[in-house]
Amino acid sequence: MTIKQISIFLENRKNALSELTNVLAEHKINMRTISIADTSDFGIARIIVDNPEQVQAALERSAYIVKTTPVIAVEIPDQAGSLNNILKILADNNRNVEYMYGFTGHKTGSAYMIIRCTDVPETERVFEANGIRMASQEELINS
């Protein structure tokens, strides 16, 4: 089960991130999670929201370069070793993690990892075969 992540390309300059969050605030867009990566020239903000199509359209109208990417969200116990277990399953099944980031939900004792692998459908099959629970977009928003 994939979820839609929005990647926004940002100039690596002063106030670029606050300008992005200003656009999101003006459109009353609530992010569930955000990840920022940068190089010397540009950055990429990756966000999970409840209505990715509307958010993408709003950002494009504001002249942002935006891409929607399928990613997988897995729920793991919020305890030592949980991430290692997931990564071991991926490694044992020759899955390459391109990037990942996490956040804790409102549920006590759980965390979510957003994972992007080179072959998302195959990674989903690996998780299913190993009993790893994947979360839906709606679940992440309401977690």
Side-chain angles (χ1 to χ4, degrees):
M1 164 184 326
T2 61
I3 62 170
K4 293 179 181 178
Q5 167 194 268
I6 298 176
S7 298
I8 307 111
F9 295 89
L10 301 170
E11 291 180 64
N12 193 354
R13 63 170 173 75
K14 188 176 176 181
N15 297 324
L17 187 56
S18 66
E19 290 168 4
L20 168 65
T21 58
N22 186 57
V23 170
L24 297 174
E26 286 175 354
H27 288 88
K28 299 188 183 340
I29 296 165
N30 186 23
M31 294 180 289
R32 186 64 189 107
T33 186
I34 184 170
S35 171
I36 307 291
D38 73 331
T39 68
S40 59
D41 298 324
F42 68 92
I44 300 174
R46 294 180 172 109
I47 61 175
I48 304 294
V49 295
D50 60 349
N51 50 0
E53 293 82 8
Q54 292 174 353
V55 172
Q56 181 171 351
L59 290 170
E60 287 173 344
R61 283 191 304 273
S62 295
Y64 283 95
I65 298 171
V66 180
K67 179 181 176 187
T68 300
T69 307
V71 294
I72 300 170
V74 295
E75 183 178 7
I76 61 174
D78 188 10
Q79 61 189 34
S82 296
L83 177 59
N84 184 58
N85 293 336
I86 297 295
L87 294 176
K88 183 167 177 10
I89 288 169
L90 292 174
D92 290 348
N93 287 276
N94 298 314
R95 301 286 85 224
N96 180 42
V97 176
E98 293 178 8
Y99 59 83
M100 64 186 292
Y101 52 100
F103 66 99
T104 56
H106 296 291
K107 293 180 184 178
T108 302
S110 67
Y112 293 93
M113 295 305 301
I114 307 300
I115 302 172
R116 172 68 180 175
C117 290
T118 46
D119 184 341
V120 173
E122 180 58 29
T123 303
E124 289 177 298
R125 286 189 282 280
V126 166
F127 283 146
E128 288 172 359
N130 286 277
I132 305 299
R133 197 175 84 67
M134 293 172 279
S136 68
Q137 193 105 23
E138 181 177 312
E139 182 181 345
L140 288 182
I141 300 309
N142 296 318
S143 67

